[in-house]
Amino acid sequence: MKNLDSDIQYLSGVGPKRAALIKAELGISTIGELLRIYPFRYIDRSRFYRIAEIAGEEAYVQIRARVVSRTMYGPGGTVIPPGDKKLQYAVKRLSVIVEDGSAQTELVFFKGIKYNYARLAPGSVFVFFGKPSLWNGKLSMVHPEIDAPLPEGSDLQGGLTGVYPSTEKLLAGGVTGKVMCKLQSAALALCLPEVEENLPEYILSENALCGARYALKNIHFPADQYALQKATRRLKFEELFLLQLSLLKQKYIRSHGNPGLVMPKVGSAFGALYESLPFSLTGAQKRVIREIFEDMRSGHQMNRLLQGDVGSGKTMVAVLSALLAVDNGYQACIMAPTEVLSRQHYANIQKYLSPTGVKCAILTGSSTARERRGIHAGLEDGSIGIIVGTHALLEEGVVFRRLGLAIIDEQHRFGVDQRARLWGKGPLLENTPSEGGSPHGRVPLQHRAAPHVLVMTATPIPRTLAMTLYGDLDVSVIDELPPGRKPVKTTLISDSKKVQVYNFMRKQIALGRQVFVVYPLIFESEKMDLNNLELGYEEIVKYFPLPDYKVAIVHGQQTNEVKNFNMEAFASGRADILVSTTVIEVGVDVPNASVMVIESAQRFGLSQLHQLRGRVGRGAEESYCILVHDFKTSKEARERLELMCRSNDGFEIAEEDMKMRGPGDLEGTAQSGLPISLNIASLARDGVILSEARAYAQKVLDADPGLESAQNSLLLKELRKSKYDIKDYSKIS
Ligand code: ADP
Ligand code: MG
């Protein structure tokens, strides 16, 4: 008996050899998993559209139309006459206007221009098949397929046909698109009756969703456009709803299921720092500290995300929060993703702490055995109030006397598991059976109180992404910069004009300023990236020779010692220029640096450029960001970069970035952080369904937080699947 869990080799048309190929290429092994590989687009050859009825959103349409006119265009939209032999090389685009009696539309060709010009003579009729798009309200089709028209009234072949993801190896092994369709069809024939509904009836009807079997059948073999839409909506909703349900449920369990350490007091250390601040906090900083304090005194465990643009003053908020913990008799730790950042935090925090008398230490991978011993002792006896460091803080040997608050800077580099490990360092609950009186040892988590957790990120994240990446957290936003900040003046320049950039750098250095020069990771291999960086370094050293100029270089291949030494040379002002890869992306604070030069800027995402730019403009001086693009950079890429010159708003830039780079890129880069990988929904395109799904998930949980009612039993069953990985940390030992 074959079922959804059977190996795909038992499908007709798949032997052991093909099965092995499909497994290797698509990463699936059962029939059920095969059925979850959906077409990523559809070809609709089932009918002819009238041009007037095309909305511009259809996946593919087929029209029968007559050529009205055709024109060749050169650079900047100049018309190039067909007879002009001299100018033919300059032709960039062929535009063909066609009509079908209902309306006109434009067909656009960037390739095969000569051939298509000759073929598409005015007056001739063809069948065009392609993806319509809408630009400024004007309909067009780029590179449609062109066929001679079928005789009037003849039958059309085929309906909506799915196009499945494929690979070269699959094709070479004979698993073509057609074969894939056959396999899906065989799989459905065998197993469709077995597919069970996984959403309760009331949810289907309240959200007007079709059933699971209908959806699965029609996502593979749509009866028509309408059925395809219904199937797509159901599957997207299901995916996003279950994900949000699992996130919101985790959030609920954390805040209600576990006792939170109660920290009701605003004490002397907090007061001492607050009184001694040389500036007053911004309104946003004050609001956020209030939100954090409300959590910390509430009796619920805090899990809060703090978003704020670079320079918005998150570190200050972190330190004040840490002092709240200290004043209530607890310890706090502040984790940063790199050694360099940890050191910088440590230096700043120590400065802030001097009026408070609270002892602070730093622990990183490069702390010596001797330093470690001292720190371990200080954490265990409670004499160290605040510890700053890298992942080294998560090591087994690090034991706190009473860890009350864990602050994680730049969350995107830390995973959920690491948050869980912090939990294991929380204080023992009162009635815990003691193990020789030692606060460490392998005490099950249910005997530990989770420390409050505050994660901070300077990466403004589009709303849909935040809802998914941080769906289990409460969110605070610092949406106000300290007064007096001047926006960074940003310009875009071609690398053929590099000398101008160097001259500008000279002038700034003569004024006593410092300059960052950043190189992207361009090549697959680290070795080649390094070469690229070193070539750049050599060129800069040539333009900025000793003894007048000092240039430091920092990259990921250096030992920590060398890296820290060079970083320090720049931070202390001994070096005028810092040449580096993106290791300086986050956090590093050198107020005297007024110029950020970014090489091959077209290779960065906008959000990342915004991050980098945030490294300057921290002092009182006017500051500059110079985006250098390769002279070959396309017009689209340059337009993308121009947004950086216009806007200083991290959220606006992040939204644009997600739209422009498309879901593929964005989710590709964010994937590592997504709680589960999305199979059909897209964070860039399905924001509306996502919001609906999240709101609805919240409604379901409000009515039944434990999903214990009979009507929700299906949901509970779904969430137990390993992919949702609902960790009720209080039950893990
Ligand atoms: P972030 O971590 O959010 O990028 P920081 O906490 O490093 O920002 O703050 C950037 C700079 O602004 C620091 O030099 C800090 O001392 C200063 N700063 C923070 N809050 C204020 C404020 N309210 N007014 C003036 N300056 C501030
Ligand atoms: Mg910071």
Side-chain angles (χ1 to χ4, degrees):
M1 181 54 199
K2 291 168 200 112
N3 60 26
L4 289 166
D5 296 325
S6 301
D7 194 290
I8 46 171
Q9 67 168 299
Y10 301 115
L11 273 179
S12 64
V14 190
K17 230 174 122 191
R18 259 193 191 170
L21 178 66
I22 293 175
K23 283 176 199 174
E25 291 298 294
L26 297 177
I28 56 156
S29 54
T30 68
I31 295 178
E33 286 165 351
L34 178 72
L35 284 171
R36 294 288 160 189
I37 295 197
Y38 305 139
F40 61 92
R41 65 179 173 86
Y42 299 84
I43 295 176
D44 183 1
R45 292 252 185 192
S46 62
R47 56 170 287 214
F48 288 114
Y49 278 73
R50 312 274 296 158
I51 293 174
E53 70 178 326
I54 299 173
E57 284 149 14
E58 297 83 355
Y60 277 81
V61 298
Q62 182 168 242
I63 57 175
R64 189 189 340 233
R66 175 186 317 275
V67 177
V68 178
S69 65
R70 50 193 177 160
T71 318
M72 287 187 281
Y73 291 98
T78 49
V79 173
I80 299 191
D84 192 331
K85 288 259 164 6
K86 263 204 329 232
L87 276 177
Q88 285 308 300
Y89 75 94
V91 174
K92 294 264 187 265
R93 168 170 68 97
L94 168 65
S95 160
V96 178
I97 304 295
V98 300
E99 61 87 23
D100 68 353
S102 74
Q104 294 194 340
T105 186
E106 182 188 14
L107 311 176
V108 182
F109 300 85
F110 299 103
K111 287 184 204 144
I113 290 179
K114 242 178 158 167
Y115 170 74
N116 284 314
Y117 187 91
R119 183 181 184 192
L120 300 174
S124 51
V125 175
F126 290 94
V127 170
F128 300 100
F129 173 77
K131 178 163 179 40
S133 57
L134 213 52
W135 281 106
N136 297 330
K138 269 187 63 193
L139 197 64
S140 65
M141 253 196 251
V142 178
H143 287 181
E145 283 175 32
I146 306 169
D147 286 316
L150 297 166
E152 202 78 42
S154 57
D155 269 355
L156 291 161
Q157 295 280 308
L160 281 167
T161 310
V163 181
Y164 291 90
S166 185
T167 68
E168 250 170 71
K169 282 189 187 155
L170 278 177
L171 291 175
V175 186
T176 59
K178 244 193 194 131
V179 169
M180 195 63 176
C181 284
K182 277 200 187 126
L183 295 183
Q184 294 288 7
S185 163
L188 282 174
L190 271 176
C191 298
L192 192 61
E194 257 187 67
V195 171
E196 282 174 24
E197 185 51 70
N198 60 351
L199 294 179
E201 186 53 45
Y202 81 98
I203 290 183
L204 296 182
S205 71
E206 283 181 23
N207 295 283
L209 301 173
C210 66
R213 282 181 205 158
Y214 179 93
L216 197 58
K217 179 161 191 297
N218 281 285
I219 201 77
H220 289 292
F221 301 100
D224 51 35
Q225 292 273 7
Y226 173 78
L228 176 58
Q229 266 169 29
K230 286 213 72 121
T232 308
R233 183 178 140 75
R234 143 85 202 215
L235 293 170
K236 284 182 176 176
F237 187 95
E238 173 191 325
E239 181 165 82
L240 295 169
F241 169 75
L242 290 172
L243 174 59
Q244 290 300 326
L245 191 69
S246 83
L247 290 168
L248 290 169
K249 188 152 183 291
Q250 289 185 47
K251 183 173 166 206
Y252 185 89
I253 291 171
R254 285 231 202 85
S255 62
H256 290 76
N258 301 292
L261 300 167
V262 188
M263 307 186 188
K265 203 165 81 184
V266 180
S268 57
F270 183 97
L273 171 56
Y274 199 88
E275 295 305 315
S276 72
L277 284 179
F279 44 73
S280 50
L281 297 181
T282 62
Q285 282 171 315
K286 285 186 196 160
R287 188 190 71 238
V288 168
I289 289 169
R290 260 199 310 277
E291 286 167 357
I292 291 169
F293 183 49
E294 281 307 314
D295 282 354
M296 288 171 62
R297 63 193 256 192
S298 70
H300 296 310
Q301 187 225 353
M302 172 169 79
N303 270 285
R304 187 168 281 281
L305 173 71
L306 173 55
Q307 276 200 57
D309 223 334
V310 273
S312 60
K314 292 183 295 299
T315 310
M316 177 53 64
V317 170
V319 175
L320 285 167
S321 310
L323 290 177
L324 282 174
V326 171
D327 277 341
N328 283 279
Y330 290 91
Q331 293 160 294
C333 71
I334 302 181
M335 277 210 303
T338 65
E339 169 110 21
V340 171
L341 275 176
S342 301
R343 297 212 168 271
Q344 186 132 51
H345 269 322
Y346 178 64
N348 285 335
I349 290 169
Q350 267 203 318
K351 240 184 296 161
Y352 290 137
L353 289 184
S354 65
T356 68
V358 172
K359 190 170 166 201
C360 179
I362 177 165
L363 180 70
T364 70
S366 59
S367 302
T368 64
R370 207 176 132 208
E371 285 166 342
R372 269 164 207 264
R373 271 197 301 278
I375 289 165
H376 288 177
L379 289 174
E380 268 187 65
D381 69 21
S383 58
I384 295 176
I386 298 177
I387 178 100
V388 180
T390 56
H391 288 81
L393 291 172
L394 296 171
E395 285 163 13
E396 290 243 342
V398 179
V399 175
F400 292 84
R401 201 174 85 85
R402 249 153 85 84
L403 178 63
L405 171 66
I407 299 174
I408 306 175
D409 198 10
E410 304 305 341
Q411 153 75 6
H412 55 291
R413 305 208 183 167
F414 289 99
V416 174
D417 287 345
Q418 283 157 334
R419 270 194 260 155
R421 273 167 79 179
L422 279 170
W423 184 314
K425 297 190 182 296
L428 294 178
L429 295 175
E430 265 160 25
N431 46 13
T432 300
S434 82
E435 286 187 18
S438 158
H440 47 128
R442 299 197 149 268
V443 180
L445 276 184
Q446 72 257 30
H447 295 306
R448 294 198 180 274
H452 295 298
V453 176
L454 178 68
V455 297
M456 306 196 293
T457 174
T459 317
I461 305 163
R463 218 174 43 88
T464 55
L465 192 55
M467 271 194 257
T468 307
L469 278 178
Y470 306 122
D472 59 336
L473 304 179
D474 290 305
V475 179
S476 290
V477 181
I478 305 187
D479 49 7
E480 182 185 352
L481 291 181
R485 288 282 159 79
K486 292 190 192 141
V488 180
K489 282 198 174 145
T490 305
T491 47
L492 182 61
I493 191 165
S494 160
D495 67 354
S496 56
K497 298 186 186 149
K498 210 50 162 300
V499 177
Q500 288 180 21
V501 178
Y502 290 146
N503 287 340
F504 182 75
M505 286 165 59
R506 283 220 182 98
K507 276 190 205 140
Q508 286 288 309
I509 293 171
L511 290 171
R513 309 282 128 70
Q514 291 166 279
V515 180
F516 287 105
V517 181
V518 180
Y519 283 82
L521 300 177
I522 297 182
F523 302 104
E524 296 291 306
S525 98
E526 288 182 18
K527 184 106 187 74
M528 284 171 80
D529 278 327
L530 196 56
N531 283 345
N532 189 47
L533 176 74
E534 281 173 347
L535 281 179
Y537 174 71
E538 277 164 25
E539 185 177 299
I540 285 171
V541 170
K542 230 186 291 157
Y543 274 87
F544 297 89
L546 283 167
D548 294 343
Y549 299 97
K550 291 193 190 60
V551 186
I553 178 168
V554 169
H555 57 77
Q557 307 271 292
Q558 291 167 334
T559 62
N560 276 337
E561 225 168 56
V562 173
K563 214 186 298 177
N564 291 339
F565 178 84
N566 289 336
M567 224 20 255
E568 183 49 33
F570 188 68
S572 67
R574 274 179 287 128
D576 308 293
I577 300 175
L578 180 70
V579 178
S580 77
T581 51
T582 48
V583 286
I584 53 135
E585 182 184 341
V586 283
V588 176
D589 198 5
V590 182
N592 189 48
S594 65
V595 185
M596 164 72 58
V597 178
I598 304 176
E599 295 279 349
S600 303
Q602 77 281 357
R603 297 190 185 259
F604 290 89
L606 294 186
S607 302
Q608 204 182 5
L609 289 174
H610 183 65
Q611 283 285 309
L612 286 168
R613 175 167 66 179
R615 298 299 112 220
V616 295
R618 307 200 134 208
E621 307 304 332
E622 185 70 73
S623 56
Y624 306 87
C625 174
I626 303 175
L627 305 174
V628 183
H629 66 82
D630 294 355
F631 73 98
K632 289 181 300 227
T633 305
S634 70
K635 184 155 165 279
E636 289 75 26
R638 267 181 283 135
E639 278 169 5
R640 201 164 67 89
L641 290 173
E642 271 156 18
L643 173 66
M644 296 299 301
C645 306
R646 289 196 305 273
S647 174
N648 260 291
D649 177 342
F651 282 94
E652 182 189 354
I653 289 168
E655 292 285 350
E656 264 323 287
D657 200 19
M658 177 144 115
K659 269 191 227 142
M660 291 200 272
R661 281 198 296 162
D665 260 333
L666 192 111
E667 283 164 28
T669 49
Q671 204 78 44
S672 54
L674 280 183
I676 64 168
S677 62
L678 295 174
N679 193 20
I680 183 165
S682 146
L683 295 180
R685 279 177 280 125
D686 298 320
V688 175
I689 301 185
L690 175 57
S691 301
E692 276 172 34
R694 183 169 169 95
Y696 193 76
Q698 186 64 61
K699 194 175 136 193
V700 169
L701 284 176
D702 284 345
D704 181 10
L707 300 178
E708 286 154 347
S709 68
Q711 66 172 359
N712 286 330
S713 63
L714 277 178
L715 296 177
L716 209 51
K717 195 169 135 201
E718 273 301 307
L719 293 197
R720 289 221 179 87
K721 288 187 179 162
S722 61
K723 74 172 165 182
Y724 295 109
D725 202 28
I726 295 274
K727 281 189 194 130
D728 180 353
Y729 292 120
S730 62
K731 301 270 161 35
I732 299 172
S733 59

